[in-house]
Amino acid sequence: MQAHAYFEVANKSSLYIKPLLVYYGVSNLMAGAGTLIKGEKLNIKGHGMKLIAPQNLEKGIATSNIKIVDEKNGAFSNFIKIFFRGLDLPKGTIWELKELFSFIPDLKNDFESCYSGISANVLPIEIVKLRNITIERIHFEDCPNLKENYEIFSRIQDFSKSYLKPQIQEDKVILYRKLNNYEDIGIYSINGRKYLQVSIVKNGKLISIPPLMSMYMGLYALGYLSRYHPNIWNPFIQKDLTGEKLLVEKFLSISMRHIPNLVLNLIEEKNIQFVNETDGITDLRFVTLKSEIEDIISEKIDELLYSEGLKYK
């Protein structure tokens, strides 16, 4: 109920205070869900994170850094242990806000428009359902950075466990699922589009952060800036020189829409989507392909000629 109240107020608030309200709403929501899953009150004392504010606003608000400072009683560490067991994000790890933005599927296009020349760490997938098999495709027009940069697949966690070697074509990459060991390692947008998440190196290890925790950390950074660094936040709102203001607004909107859905998924342990039509799925199971038509025609001609005592050549 507190989370819902924070979201309602945030919807009507200006950007001067909105990040803090959304962060408090998400914190309450995740604490409530964590308590429900664990079956007891969480021992949370503090955020478990520390903000390192940007030194030069001309370089962008997203040069803010978030440092993980508590592995035991911080909210961040508690949520990791409950929602994402096995994810190793040790104390002392530092994440740039820009890196966190890059892990969010629904922010991909806005991210790449804002930060020219930098690719988001998510690859959009088209799922194609055929009669006897389901394949996945990545189109180069969606991921120009992928072309001639196929080592990127080695940075996708558990990729080789779930997929065969990628098949490179002129305009796309085809991914065939392993028959016996396939496990869905994708993350999903609000509209149900599947993405593969590309890890980045932290402390000598390849690490990626689930969108829920990326948004949670990002909201902490923006909320802290708006509350405790008005000398940075207010000029950014009034006269943004980087183009990041629109990205931040989009990020807040996505967080308010998607985080409750992601938390519900964790409680129910399944992917629930509140959309009429899922993006990124092409169903060809009931479509007759050109090759199938040609085979049918050949068979009919062969049968006709055979009935006349001739052989098809």
Side-chain angles (χ1 to χ4, degrees), residues 40-58:
E40 61 183 42
K41 183 180 177 182
L42 305 184
N43 184 26
I44 292 177
K45 297 177 182 178
H47 304 284
M49 299 173 283
K50 178 182 178 181
L51 177 74
I52 304 171
Q55 300 300 310
N56 185 350
L57 201 54
E58 291 183 3

Side-chain angles (χ1 to χ4, degrees), residues 62-303:
T63 57
S64 302
N65 285 288
I66 302 94
K67 183 178 182 179
I68 300 171
V69 296
D70 192 334
E71 294 179 326
K72 185 177 180 180
N73 296 320
F76 178 81
S77 298
N78 270 269
F79 295 155
I80 287 286
K81 291 173 185 175
I82 293 171
F83 298 131
F84 302 100
R85 296 171 189 170
L87 179 61
D88 184 20
L89 294 174
K91 179 180 178 181
T93 307
I94 297 176
W95 294 86
E96 190 178 47
L97 181 57
K98 189 184 298 182
E99 294 173 332
L100 301 175
F101 286 162
S102 77
F103 285 132
I104 302 169
D106 293 282
L107 208 59
K108 179 182 184 298
N109 293 336
D110 301 86
F111 178 91
E112 293 176 347
S113 295
C114 183
Y115 305 114
S116 180
I118 302 178
S119 299
N121 287 305
V122 288
L123 304 176
I125 299 294
E126 179 194 14
I127 298 174
V128 183
K129 296 182 179 180
L130 303 173
R131 290 184 182 178
N132 300 317
I133 191 174
T134 297
I135 64 172
E136 299 179 15
R137 302 192 295 209
I138 305 174
H139 295 272
F140 289 139
E141 64 180 5
D142 296 327
C143 303
N145 65 306
L146 181 59
K147 202 165 188 178
E148 309 302 332
N149 187 28
Y150 305 124
E151 61 82 26
I152 202 169
F153 291 108
S154 66
R155 292 163 49 204
I156 298 174
Q157 188 174 4
D158 295 329
F159 180 85
S160 60
K161 293 181 181 180
S162 296
Y163 296 96
L164 300 173
K165 184 178 179 180
Q167 302 298 305
I168 313 301
Q169 296 189 355
E170 183 178 350
D171 59 343
K172 57 185 172 289
V173 177
I174 305 293
L175 304 179
Y176 289 97
R177 300 172 175 179
K178 288 190 174 180
L179 295 179
N180 298 323
N181 298 325
Y182 174 76
E183 180 180 342
D184 189 0
I185 58 173
I187 56 176
Y188 290 84
S189 69
I190 292 171
N191 291 324
R193 179 81 183 245
K194 180 177 179 178
Y195 290 74
L196 293 179
Q197 200 170 33
V198 181
S199 301
I200 58 180
V201 178
K202 287 289 176 182
N203 295 359
K205 295 175 60 178
L206 281 172
I207 301 176
S208 58
I209 300 182
L212 174 60
M213 299 310 298
S214 295
M215 287 186 274
Y216 176 68
M217 294 173 72
L219 290 171
Y220 165 76
L222 296 176
Y224 201 95
L225 281 172
S226 65
R227 173 66 179 88
Y228 295 105
H229 294 278
N231 58 310
I232 296 175
W233 186 250
N234 290 358
F236 168 70
I237 299 301
Q238 294 165 1
K239 191 178 180 181
D240 173 33
L241 301 175
T242 62
E244 289 178 312
K245 183 179 176 182
L246 291 175
L247 183 71
V248 167
E249 290 176 321
K250 180 72 174 287
F251 169 76
L252 293 172
S253 176
I254 291 169
S255 298
M256 293 180 67
R257 167 62 181 85
H258 205 193
I259 286 178
N261 199 160
L262 292 173
V263 171
L264 178 62
N265 292 349
L266 290 167
I267 294 172
E268 296 291 336
E269 297 183 335
K270 59 183 178 181
N271 187 28
I272 302 170
Q273 296 167 357
F274 296 94
V275 291
N276 293 325
E277 186 174 346
T278 302
D279 286 347
I281 296 180
T282 302
D283 194 340
L284 300 178
R285 290 175 295 175
F286 308 106
V287 176
T288 304
L289 302 177
K290 178 183 176 182
S291 59
E292 294 175 320
I293 295 174
E294 290 174 346
D295 289 340
I296 292 171
I297 293 174
S298 295
E299 289 176 9
K300 291 300 181 182
I301 292 175
D302 198 26
E303 290 174 6

